[in-house]
Amino acid sequence: MQFTRRFLLQGAALSTIAPQLVWAQSSLTADGARLDTLSDGNLVLPKSFSLGDVAGPEADEILARYGLTGDSFEPDCNVTLLRSGDRTILFDVGAGPDFMPTAGKLMDAFDMLGVDPFDVTDVVFTHAHPDHIWGLLDDFGDLNFPDANYHIGQKEYDYWTDPNTVSTIGEARQTFAVGAANRLGILADRINLFGDGAEIAPGVAARATHGHTPGHMAFEVRLGSESAMIVGDSILNNHLAFERPTWRAGSDQDQDMAVATRVSLLDQLATEQMRMIGYHLPGGGMGRVERRADSYVFVGEDA
């Protein structure tokens, strides 16, 4: 199925399930620092695009246990905000006004939380898919966070700014490539590039979690004795990604690499009992991973 903007807009308009938006969804406070997850709304995605080749009776049975029986998914979008010392750091910027009408609500979340976008000192991208980077600009084409320093992984930046990407990424994702190239082009003279293990800010370390996109990054945030892993889309959902982590997902660009990344990350999070924040996980996305036999389960903070 071609994954076009027209399809996205039509799918969102036809959706009969409109989740209630809770702007400041989950919080973690320690040693004077605070992590919040803010709602950017939700996506409406065709199940065929999300599942890829794994659709079948076993997948349907798992999804039914999570109340997912229709032809589309409507995952939440959780943007993370860290306030620590003199730094206000935003991880991803949401979808903005041009992706689909159910998303792009981040500026409303800022208003509800009482944070001024001009106070954001740093914007850090996990990757450059539309629901993570298209919120860079407002309706007039100006930066939503004009005083921020911007950061993205070197490999991710190189991929989306390569002029060959739009012709090799496949028709379903060509709009992704054009949108990413345009926005990263706007930031070309003010964006900082980094690699695996880099310290983006005090207590914020980058971790390579490639696969969903070629240069996808996660970030471990330490707040004194507390810590949390912002995993972006390296763990895409709270159902199949946990119960069948070795299954390939249609929304991952390099599906085999994404599987290896997901399995490694789930094992680490379950073993260390480190908090995680998933961009598309429910209830604000903050919780922990528990191992169940040969699979895993996501336990949200409110569970």
Side-chain angles (χ1 to χ4, degrees):
M1 175 180 290
Q2 186 173 352
F3 193 66
T4 64
R5 182 168 179 266
R6 175 176 292 181
F7 178 88
L8 292 169
L9 294 173
Q10 290 175 339
L14 292 173
S15 173
T16 59
I17 303 175
Q20 182 179 0
L21 300 180
V22 182
W23 302 115
Q25 300 181 298
S26 299
S27 297
L28 172 62
T29 303
D31 290 357
R34 175 168 173 163
L35 268 176
D36 290 290
T37 65
L38 283 63
S39 174
D40 189 53
N42 69 282
L43 303 182
V44 180
L45 301 174
K47 184 185 288 187
S48 58
F49 179 85
S50 301
L51 295 186
D53 297 332
V54 305
E58 186 177 359
D60 289 341
E61 186 275 328
I62 293 172
L63 294 172
R65 287 195 273 106
Y66 290 84
L68 301 172
T69 58
D71 293 328
S72 65
F73 292 146
E74 301 189 1
D76 295 340
C77 297
N78 307 303
V79 176
T80 302
L81 182 72
L82 169 65
R83 286 173 281 178
S84 179
D86 62 351
R87 306 288 280 272
T88 297
I89 304 173
L90 189 65
F91 296 87
D92 295 328
V93 295
D98 297 326
F99 189 46
M100 62 177 64
T102 56
K105 315 299 184 184
L106 181 61
M107 303 313 292
D108 294 329
F110 265 78
D111 288 342
M112 295 295 291
L113 196 61
V115 178
D116 189 336
F118 282 84
D119 291 339
V120 173
T121 60
D122 299 87
V123 171
V124 183
F125 297 110
T126 61
H127 64 297
H129 274 170
D131 52 322
H132 297 256
I133 198 172
W134 282 21
L136 180 71
L137 306 174
D138 63 18
D139 291 336
F140 301 99
D142 297 323
L143 291 172
N144 274 319
F145 308 100
D147 293 339
N149 296 306
Y150 292 84
H151 312 264
I152 194 169
Q154 176 81 60
K155 188 171 183 179
E156 186 77 353
Y157 181 85
D158 290 346
Y159 176 75
W160 294 107
T161 57
D162 183 341
N164 294 318
T165 295
V166 70
S167 59
T168 58
I169 196 172
E171 186 177 6
R173 290 186 171 92
Q174 283 181 339
T175 56
F176 292 15
V178 172
N182 288 343
R183 286 158 179 82
L184 291 173
I186 292 169
L187 297 177
D189 61 348
R190 59 185 298 174
I191 197 163
N192 302 304
L193 307 178
F194 59 86
D196 185 26
E199 186 177 53
I200 307 303
V204 179
R207 171 171 175 180
T209 48
H210 304 163
H212 181 69
T213 61
H216 187 288
M217 286 284 186
F219 301 93
E220 183 175 347
V221 178
R222 294 199 173 275
L223 296 79
S225 61
E226 299 285 347
S227 62
M229 184 78 76
I230 300 168
V231 304
D233 283 5
S234 55
I235 302 175
L236 272 169
N237 55 61
N238 66 316
H239 37 81
L240 296 181
F242 283 79
E243 295 205 24
R244 298 294 184 272
T246 60
W247 284 6
R248 301 167 76 192
S251 52
D252 292 329
Q253 288 183 230
D254 186 329
Q255 295 178 9
D256 291 335
M257 183 179 293
V259 165
T261 292
R262 184 163 54 249
V263 169
S264 174
L265 198 51
L266 285 168
D267 178 70
Q268 177 191 353
L269 293 168
T271 300
E272 298 180 6
Q273 278 300 286
M274 183 190 300
R275 280 184 177 87
M276 66 169 291
I277 300 173
Y279 197 83
H280 294 303
L281 301 187
M286 189 181 294
R288 299 184 190 271
V289 180
E290 291 187 1
R291 189 177 278 108
R292 301 284 174 86
D294 58 350
S295 65
Y296 301 87
V297 63
F298 173 67
V299 181
E301 289 286 282
D302 57 353

